[in-house]
């Protein structure tokens, strides 16, 4: 059911420093910061030949990244995003297998203007999973 790894997301305590490190030390193609108020994050996308890296920084009062950074002050792996063809079909199948969908269970529009859903990390070996319909 899942397809390509769309991106891997890393929560960072200093977005500019992290973007500079990927640009200069790692020599990657780094995009401009994008604010996503619906998700409570500012995002920088890094284009790799086979996938993307998403640097996440808190935006606004109730950002999910704030509590993550309190637990992981140096930053850390936040989620993996897999591509699916049909997000509603994927969600319904996952719910049937006992997986929990975060929020109200309905897809939101994600950073690439496509519908996304998040699955409970406790149901996936401690790893938050994002699904993106492509
Ligand atoms: Co993501």
């Amino acid at each position: 059911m899942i397809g390509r790894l769309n991106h891997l997301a890393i929560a960072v305590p200093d977005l500019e420093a992290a973007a500079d490190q990927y640009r200069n030390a790692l020599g990657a193609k780094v995009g401009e910061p994008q604010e996503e108020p619906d998700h409570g994050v500012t995002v920088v996308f890094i284009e790799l030949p086979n996938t993307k890296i998403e640097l996440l920084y808190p935006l606004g009062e109730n950002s999910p990244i704030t509590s993550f950074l309190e637990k992981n002050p140096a930053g850390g792996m936040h989620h993996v995003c897999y591509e699916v063809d049909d997000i509603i079909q994927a969600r319904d199948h996952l719910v049937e297998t006992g997986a929990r969908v975060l929020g109200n269970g309905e897809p939101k529009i994600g950073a690439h203007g496509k519908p996304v859903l998040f699955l409970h990390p406790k149901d996936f070996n401690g790893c938050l999973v994002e699904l993106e319909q492509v």
Side-chain angles (χ1 to χ4, degrees), residues 6-9 45 54 56 79-81 111-112 116 118 130 132:
N6 184 277
H7 61 268
L8 189 152
F45 275 105
E54 180 180 89
L56 298 175
H79 65 267
V80 292
C81 177
H112 312 109
V116 301
F118 287 90
E130 178 179 15
E132 181 175 308

Side-chain angles (χ1 to χ4, degrees), residues 39-120:
H39 296 272
V41 291
T42 301
V43 182
V44 167
F45 275 105
I46 297 161
E47 296 262 357
L48 302 184
N50 63 340
T51 190
K52 293 184 281 282
I53 304 295
E54 180 180 89
L55 302 178
L56 298 175
Y57 187 78
L59 175 69
E61 301 271 298
N62 300 310
S63 173
I65 304 305
T66 304
S67 53
F68 184 91
L69 287 173
E70 276 162 14
K71 285 177 225 142
N72 307 276
M77 254 285 301
H78 187 265
H79 65 267
V80 292
C81 177
Y82 302 123
E83 297 181 353
V84 294
D85 290 331
D86 183 332
I87 202 160
I88 299 299
Q89 201 179 357
R91 176 198 63 191
D92 292 348
H93 171 72
L94 281 155
V95 168
E96 268 170 39
T97 68
R100 287 166 289 177
V101 177
L102 299 187
N104 66 3
E106 294 305 318
K108 278 191 185 179
I109 297 302
H112 312 109
K114 308 260 175 72
V116 301
L117 280 176
F118 287 90
L119 305 170
H120 202 299

